[in-house]
Amino acid sequence: MFNVEECEIIRLPKIHNEAGNITVIENNRTVPFDVKRIYYLYDVPMGSERGGHGHYKLQQYIVALSGSFTFVLEDGVNTKEVFLNDPSKALHIKSGIWREIKGFSSGSICLVLASDVYSEEDYLRDYNEFLKYRKG
Ligand code: TYD
């Protein structure tokens, strides 16, 4: 189980060109886990909030492909807010972290690379359950 300080911003490789940039994410190289699932949030109405859960095991890389939003991370003791607005940076969310997502700009796209396929059993959806889990 990890704490919020261990959920860091990772600088992704960026191939800079005046005609446009390329950022590459390679399995088990730029991402330190096997990517088993990719999904993205889009068409999020401004002002809406998402997230509000934790995961027992799942690890994720989060990238603001377009626009911006803020992830609020909690480990049961500390909270950390991470503003994402750069497609060449990823937020690594490790296991056991509660997250909320807020402040979506209009047209924003949130890319998520996940270490496992979807499994509802891996979710901590109740905040008090999460705190209990963290306190062991
Ligand atoms: P959830 O992860 O709770 O979304 P968010 O944290 O962004 O608010 O997922 C919302 C719904 O979508 C929930 O009913 C589960 C479903 N879902 C899948 O079926 N597969 C997936 O890979 C994901 C991420 C969600």
Side-chain angles (χ1 to χ4, degrees):
M1 218 167 0
F2 295 90
N3 61 47
V4 292
E5 300 315 321
E6 294 169 294
C7 296
E8 295 178 312
I9 291 283
I10 312 296
R11 195 181 290 269
L12 302 168
K14 181 172 175 179
I15 302 158
H16 179 71
N17 190 307
E18 273 163 30
N21 300 321
I22 299 176
T23 284
V24 187
I25 305 176
E26 291 178 295
N27 211 25
N28 289 310
R29 288 176 88 175
T30 16
V31 199
F33 53 82
D34 220 17
V35 178
K36 299 235 178 88
R37 177 169 48 127
I38 296 171
Y39 62 93
Y40 35 96
L41 298 174
Y42 58 103
D43 287 348
V44 180
M46 270 172 80
S48 70
E49 297 194 356
R50 301 199 57 121
H53 65 255
H55 286 284
Y56 289 105
K57 290 205 181 123
L58 195 74
Q59 293 190 68
Q60 293 160 306
Y61 256 35
I62 314 289
V63 183
L65 281 192
S66 183
S68 62
F69 39 81
T70 298
F71 267 69
V72 184
L73 306 179
E74 283 185 52
D75 57 21
V77 177
N78 292 308
T79 299
K80 174 161 115 173
E81 291 210 0
V82 183
F83 176 70
L84 292 169
N85 70 341
D86 181 345
S88 70
K89 287 179 183 160
L91 168 63
H92 186 182
I93 305 186
K94 297 185 176 175
S95 51
I97 302 289
W98 187 268
R99 88 288 317 271
E100 271 156 33
I101 324 164
K102 62 181 188 181
F104 288 92
S105 69
S106 146
S108 56
I109 301 175
C110 173
L111 174 73
V112 183
L113 309 180
S115 63
D116 211 345
V117 294
Y118 173 75
S119 162
E120 190 56 38
E121 284 82 71
D122 188 60
Y123 276 79
L124 283 149
R125 293 226 182 249
D126 184 272
Y127 187 67
N128 289 323
E129 280 294 315
F130 164 75
L131 289 179
K132 218 156 76 181
Y133 173 68
R134 288 296 314 205
K135 284 182 180 127

